[in-house]
Amino acid sequence: LRFLLPFAAFWLAGLCLAWSVVRKRACSSGCIGSCLILWVPLAAFSVLFFLRTSVIKTLSPGLMFSPLMLVTSVLIVFASFLTIASFWLGWRGNRDWMEYATTTMVAELVFLLPMLLIQLAIVGYLKGSLKINWVFVPWTVWLSGLLLFTIWQSFLPLKATPTVPIDHLPRYWRQGQDAQSDTELLLLPAQGA
């Protein structure tokens, strides 16, 4: 029970957050999303980690890391879907969706996939199937990639924003229509009063 104090402080913070959410009664989607994606998995991981360090020393590392790996895997699937859908809309001629798809794909490749690899490497080390050097391989590759990307971006010139939008893709499906985006065409027409 000598490890109880840091865990108790974290659990108290989690309970204060939960109490403020319950007391608020009307939660925004950001509040619910942060609870489901951040606080609930972290609290579950901290409970399992505490059990492994104090009471149940034979608790499987895979079970201990399962809340974090589950959330990371769900975020990877969600980001992959967003990337594919955005590239499809961007391919149809909407540059904004193409930029969104690129940003989502970079976030997935730079943040989510390395995070899952690091979690898997730590689980492998705790089970005894990986040496400590292999745990640091994902960290080293990830940080080296971020450093190289940052250096590469620092040497690139800033892009000037064009005053006239340049669009090289012909939009054959929009002839005779207003220049609305694909998402605006999905909305119902406005009804007059």
Side-chain angles (χ1 to χ4, degrees):
L1 296 176
R2 60 184 176 155
F3 300 116
L4 183 61
L5 191 59
F7 288 105
F10 180 74
W11 296 335
L12 182 64
L15 283 174
C16 290
L17 174 80
W19 178 251
S20 68
V21 167
V22 168
R23 226 181 50 181
K24 198 173 186 180
R25 291 193 185 119
C27 297
S28 65
S29 60
C31 177
I32 293 171
S34 69
C35 284
L36 291 177
I37 292 176
L38 180 67
W39 283 105
V40 171
L42 278 176
F45 170 72
S46 71
V47 168
L48 292 171
F49 187 50
F50 175 72
L51 289 175
R52 180 176 164 91
T53 57
S54 61
V55 181
I56 310 171
K57 297 194 182 285
T58 59
L59 187 68
S60 168
L63 180 65
M64 184 178 71
F65 274 90
S66 63
L68 299 178
M69 288 192 295
L70 178 69
V71 167
T72 307
S73 301
V74 167
L75 286 175
I76 287 173
V77 169
F78 181 67
S80 300
F81 170 75
L82 282 180
T83 302
I84 292 169
S86 302
F87 271 124
W88 181 76
L89 286 171
W91 178 72
R92 292 191 61 198
N94 193 332
R95 275 198 326 260
D96 294 336
W97 281 106
M98 192 65 89
E99 291 174 5
Y100 179 73
T102 306
T103 304
T104 309
M105 185 177 68
V106 166
E108 185 176 7
L109 293 176
V110 168
F111 184 67
L112 293 174
L113 285 175
M115 185 182 290
L116 185 64
L117 288 175
I118 289 166
Q119 291 169 359
L120 290 172
I122 291 172
V123 168
Y125 171 71
L126 291 175
K127 284 185 175 182
S129 59
L130 283 179
K131 294 181 180 178
I132 190 67
N133 292 338
W134 286 105
V135 174
F136 290 111
V137 167
W139 282 99
T140 307
V141 170
W142 182 29
L143 293 176
S144 301
L146 286 178
L147 177 66
L148 292 175
F149 181 75
T150 305
I151 292 171
W152 175 57
Q153 287 294 318
S154 67
F155 286 114
L156 288 178
L158 293 174
K159 292 182 181 178
T161 55
T163 55
V164 177
I166 301 169
D167 199 354
H168 301 291
L169 296 174
R171 298 180 180 171
Y172 300 113
W173 65 89
R174 287 200 185 162
Q175 291 180 356
Q177 295 179 2
D178 294 335
Q180 295 174 326
S181 70
D182 294 335
T183 52
E184 290 172 333
L185 293 175
L186 296 175
L187 299 174
L188 294 174
Q191 297 177 1

